[in-house]
Amino acid sequence: VIGIEKLELFKVITTNNVYEAKSVLIATGQPSNSVSIKNLSKFEGKGISYCSTCDGFFYRGQNVGILGYNDFAFHEAEELKVFTKNITIFTNGKELEVSSKYEAEVGSYTINKMKIERIDGKDTVEEVVMEDGTVALVNGIFVAYGTASSISFALKMGIMTNGNSIITDVNQKTNIDGLFAAGDCTGTFKQISVAVGQGAIAGKEIISYIRGQK
C-alpha cells in the first residue's frame, strides 16, 4: 500500500490497483529500519531479535549485542540491563548519534564502531565478524537500527499519532471515522497474542460500523 484516501469511500492505493472500502483496518506492523548485513535475516529468531522486552530474558548473564547507533539502541540497551551487564553496541561503521538523555550512559557499554562483515554461528548466533577480521562473541543480537516507522502514508491523512505509533481508542478506532488500527503500528507490546486480540476487537467494531452506515 502506497496511500490511503477518504472521499465518500476509502481508496486504498497500491502499486498495482486501487481498492474501495467502507472501512479500513491498518495492520502494517512497525518494522525496524532495514540494515544490510550478511546472515542477519538467516538468524532471525535464532539469536536475532527486534524486541528486548520480549526476548531479553533468554539471555540472562550472557553476551548480547545491540545493532544501532542512536537513542533507539541505547533505549534497548537500558531494557536489557535487567538481564545482563555484558552488552556491546555495534554501530556498523556509524558514529554515535546520542541525545543528552543517554550521553551519561555511553560509558556503561562496550561500543564497537567497526563495519560488520557478517554474523556467524552454527544453529544460533555465536559471533560478529568485523571487516578487519576481528571477532566479537555474542549469544544474541537485538536490532535497534535507526527508528521504526510504517505509518508515513497514514500521516498524510491526519491520523493522530504518538511518535511512530497510531493512536486508537479501546475499540481500535483512530480519529478518522471508519479507520481502525491494530497490532504493532499502534505502539503496544509487540507480541502476536496482543496483535490478534486487537484485530479481533477491530473486526467486531468494523462490522458494527458498516452495519450502521446507510
Side-chain angles (χ1 to χ4, degrees):
V1 175
I2 57 175
I4 303 175
E5 299 174 2
K6 187 182 182 185
L7 303 174
E8 184 176 346
L9 296 173
F10 286 96
K11 290 174 63 178
V12 181
I13 305 162
T14 72
T15 52
N16 297 319
N17 297 294
V18 176
Y19 301 88
E20 290 190 336
K22 294 181 179 179
S23 181
V24 171
L25 170 62
I26 298 175
T28 50
Q30 198 180 64
S32 302
N33 284 13
S34 60
V35 53
S36 181
I37 295 176
K38 186 177 181 180
N39 295 334
L40 183 68
S41 59
K42 173 184 174 181
F43 286 107
E44 286 181 350
K46 300 176 182 178
I48 299 294
S49 175
Y50 295 87
C51 180
S52 60
T53 54
C54 306
D55 300 328
F57 67 92
F58 288 118
Y59 301 96
R60 289 186 184 277
Q62 300 186 53
N63 295 323
V64 299
I66 306 286
L67 180 57
Y69 55 90
N70 58 13
D71 284 11
F72 184 24
F74 279 86
H75 171 75
E76 291 296 281
E78 290 294 294
E79 294 284 336
L80 286 168
K81 265 186 174 180
V82 178
F83 307 107
T84 182
K85 305 299 182 185
N86 306 316
I87 300 172
T88 300
I89 295 177
F90 296 94
T91 72
N92 191 33
K94 286 184 171 289
E95 290 298 318
L96 291 178
E97 298 175 10
V98 183
S99 70
S100 57
K101 179 179 179 180
Y102 290 107
E103 279 181 352
E105 301 299 327
V106 172
S108 302
Y109 307 103
T110 301
I111 310 294
N112 189 321
K113 296 183 180 180
M114 301 189 70
K115 189 78 173 174
I116 297 173
E117 170 66 27
R118 67 184 184 277
I119 296 167
D120 265 349
K122 187 177 179 182
D123 298 318
T124 61
V125 170
E126 296 176 3
E127 60 186 28
V128 180
V129 182
M130 317 312 294
E131 279 193 341
D132 69 348
T134 57
V135 173
L137 300 179
V138 294
N139 302 106
I141 298 173
F142 289 82
V143 180
Y145 208 76
T147 57
S149 176
S150 62
I151 61 168
S152 57
F153 66 90
L155 294 177
K156 295 178 182 179
M157 298 181 68
I159 297 172
M160 290 181 65
T161 61
N162 179 16
N164 290 325
S165 301
I166 296 173
I167 296 173
T168 67
D169 66 11
V170 294
N171 294 315
Q172 306 306 133
K173 296 178 182 178
T174 70
N175 60 301
I176 295 179
D177 201 30
L179 188 62
F180 298 75
D184 289 358
C185 66
T186 64
T188 54
F189 190 49
K190 295 182 179 180
Q191 290 281 22
I192 291 173
S193 56
V194 175
V196 170
Q198 288 186 335
I201 292 169
K204 180 178 180 295
E205 290 300 315
I206 288 170
I207 291 170
S208 298
Y209 172 80
I210 293 176
R211 285 178 175 170
Q213 300 299 299
K214 292 183 180 179

